[in-house]
Amino acid sequence: MKIRLEEASNEPVTWETAVDIPAASLGRSELLSLEPVIWRGRVFAVEGGFLLRARLETSQGLQCDRCLTTFDHELISDIELMVVAQDEEPDLEVELRADDLGLLYVEGEFLDTQPLMLEHLQLGVPMKPICRSECQGLCAGCGADLNDGSCSCEGSSPDPRWAALGELKGRLPEG
């Protein structure tokens, strides 16, 4: 959605749309599917620029990092930014301050909200998706889903890479 900032200086500009975005286009292997994204917001003039308030809502299909089952995760992201229009691109070699984090510099007279929506979709994909907090994952020995019950393994065998340390421990005196 492209918004002409001149229109927003006269009266608030409001939008609401549903956008189909292929999950693969976001380049995140954790993301298996993506429902249509509901993208709505409002831009209005304030002292020093424009205020953008937006919200995106969607449902993500993810794969659990522990048990490998697929599950749906609702994503709701609220965005509030101060939009500052500039005639030329800002100098990228300046040090950012904490109060700069809520600023969006726009070159020219149009604000394109699509890159902002895509950025927040990217940020909304969990790095390590977990289907539920109490997920037990898979058995390292046999691969059984421990959420369905215990596995048939007799016990965990020690990692052979640690065998030398185990021998050393046996030779050290107790104490």
Side-chain angles (χ1 to χ4, degrees):
M1 172 96 195
K2 287 193 177 186
I3 298 169
R4 187 179 185 116
L5 292 175
E6 184 179 307
E7 291 176 21
S9 60
N10 297 330
E11 63 181 58
V13 174
T14 305
W15 78 89
E16 180 170 349
T17 184
V19 183
D20 283 319
I21 299 173
S25 70
L26 294 177
R28 299 289 302 268
S29 61
E30 305 91 340
L31 187 62
L32 303 176
S33 64
L34 191 63
E35 293 293 317
V37 179
I38 306 300
W39 178 233
R40 65 176 66 104
R42 184 175 203 180
V43 176
F44 50 94
V46 293
E47 185 178 325
F50 300 89
L51 186 61
L52 175 135
R53 288 189 177 141
R55 172 178 265 209
L56 71 85
E57 300 175 27
T58 189
S59 180
Q60 306 169 329
L62 302 169
Q63 184 177 36
C64 181
D65 255 15
R66 293 182 185 164
C67 68
L68 303 180
T69 60
T70 58
F71 66 100
D72 290 331
H73 176 260
E74 297 298 318
L75 172 63
I76 298 174
S77 181
D78 290 317
I79 302 151
E80 184 171 295
L81 292 172
M82 179 72 170
V83 178
V84 178
Q86 295 185 324
D87 293 332
E88 56 187 54
E89 193 170 314
D91 183 12
L92 299 178
E93 295 296 323
V94 296
E95 183 177 338
L96 290 176
R97 300 180 315 255
D99 56 342
D100 289 335
L101 296 177
L103 290 176
L104 175 64
Y105 292 101
V106 176
E107 185 179 351
E109 59 186 65
F110 288 97
L111 167 64
D112 187 1
T113 64
Q114 178 100 4
L116 185 61
M117 177 188 63
L118 293 174
E119 177 182 332
H120 280 267
L121 278 174
Q122 285 277 359
L123 292 171
V125 178
M127 289 177 62
K128 299 283 185 188
I130 305 297
C131 61
R132 57 184 190 274
S133 60
E134 62 275 355
C135 179
Q136 298 295 309
L138 301 176
C139 173
C142 67
D145 187 349
L146 298 176
N147 295 313
D148 297 336
S150 60
C151 65
S152 60
C153 291
E154 292 181 14
S156 61
S157 59
D159 189 331
R161 295 173 290 185
W162 296 102
L165 285 176
E167 290 174 19
L168 179 63
K169 182 180 176 188
R171 287 187 267 161
L172 292 175
E174 294 286 325

